[in-house]
Amino acid sequence: MPQALEHADGSWAWVVLLASLVTQALTLAFPTCIGVFFTDLQRDFQASNSETSWFPSILMAMLHAGGPLCGILVGRFGCRVTMMLGGLLASLGMVASSFSRSLSQLYLTAGIITGLGMCFSFQSSITMLGFYFVRRRVLANALASMGVSLGVTLWPPFANYLLEDLGWRGTFLVIGGVLLHCCVCGAIMRPVATNTAPETTATPAPPFKTTAPGCLATCGLIIRHHLAFDILWHNTGYCVYTLGVTWMSLGFLLPHVFLVPYARWHGVDEDRAALLVSIFGFCNIFLRPTAGLVVGRKRFASYRKYLFSLAVLLNGLTNLVCTVSADFRVLVGYCLVYSLSMCGIGILIFQVLMDIVPMDRFPSALGLFTILSGIASLISPPLAGFLLDTSNNFSYVFFMSSFFLISAALFMGGSFYTLQKKEWRGREAKAKGAISEATPVKDPTLEDKDDHKKHLCSEVMYVTSV
């Protein structure tokens, strides 16, 4: 049956914006509360820090690395169906995880199934938001990112409250019901009329059916279509940025996972320890929209990649505070400064990618980008947990986080400056070449006046284009 299409920048777009905000709060912000359950899971399963750390790492890896699969589902079934399927999978995984009898079962249910469902819901909502907003897209993205901050603020105290009364199994069961709201948000995503046919209504490419290639050839075509290996090979800026963010991801997630166990290890009670993570989100509720509007201006376009590198550097230096003192007041100050750098990373990480890669190749570039970040997210927490098991000292975890963040910031900042300097030299060489081509032109004779006017016009246009 034909469906009535909504119009971009219409009144329903703001309802979609609210649904995207709620979806980001439910999905992208959820891993920040995993640290609340860390000690209880470790005690019930008699597991080491490294073994327990695999749970949040798998969840975060699936949340990021499921992007290409989400893109295929969006292209086949649309954003609405994919988003509702994601909410159903996320809820099913959390409900099933409440009956887990081993860590391996927890990895499968709350890690893989829930993480994949959250990925479907989150990325579909972002895609639909881009279709609904054209003129106010920067403002819409800034407001929608408040959902992450709101979720980071509310998830830890909410999870800690349920944990005290229901235990982690009952809490996971309740969270499974809460995640069903992603299905409600998905139902709000009505089809929208666009100037170009979006990927949400596209049918599978006919060459796959008509040519009937072999299995390996089909896999190669799918990978080439959804992953941007050609951009990684030819676009040096994208290569630098992808490697830098992947290296950064090895350290960026560690404070979110280990800050609460670190505070409880040093005698901070459970409620105040969970409050530390909430400070991240509460500060970002006000910082992200304001910073997003400022950074979205054209005058900052050429400096965004340097601002991102600066935010990563500040984030790494801030983590060194936890190696000095574990006093609650010091940790609160740490969270306030950390929120500032977290805000810069959050609002710039995808904007810088849009500045580096052409928008027609952005979905493919984002797929490869999220896969590499997901692999780093999978490795990082277990590696830090192994370091904690061998040293029995939380300071080494924060040293590890600072090392990856600071080195990634210096690598990206230095590489971007070198590439920009090389680009400037190329422009200067082209400008000199244009001037050398223009200098042989001499005064024309009177009989060539018409040709002289045409030559001047073409000459001015040529120099202007350079």
Side-chain angles (χ1 to χ4, degrees), residues 363-409:
S364 300
L366 181 62
L368 180 60
F369 184 81
T370 53
I371 281 182
L372 294 177
S373 300
I375 293 174
S377 303
L378 179 67
I379 297 172
S380 177
L383 184 62
F386 174 77
L387 183 63
L388 182 60
D389 288 332
T390 54
S391 64
N392 201 27
N393 189 346
F394 275 94
S395 297
Y396 290 108
V397 174
F398 291 96
F399 275 127
M400 172 183 169
S401 176
S402 297
F403 166 74
F404 285 117
L405 289 164
I406 293 174
S407 57

Side-chain angles (χ1 to χ4, degrees), residues 308-326:
F308 178 79
S309 301
L310 183 62
V312 175
L313 179 63
L314 178 61
N315 194 276
L317 294 175
T318 305
N319 288 333
L320 295 176
V321 175
C322 293
T323 65
V324 178
S325 175

Side-chain angles (χ1 to χ4, degrees), residues 251-260 280 315 319 334 338 398 401:
F252 180 68
L253 297 176
L254 297 183
H256 298 272
V257 177
F258 290 97
L259 180 61
V260 174
F280 294 160
N315 194 276
N319 288 333
Y334 157 77
Y338 186 92
F398 291 96
S401 176

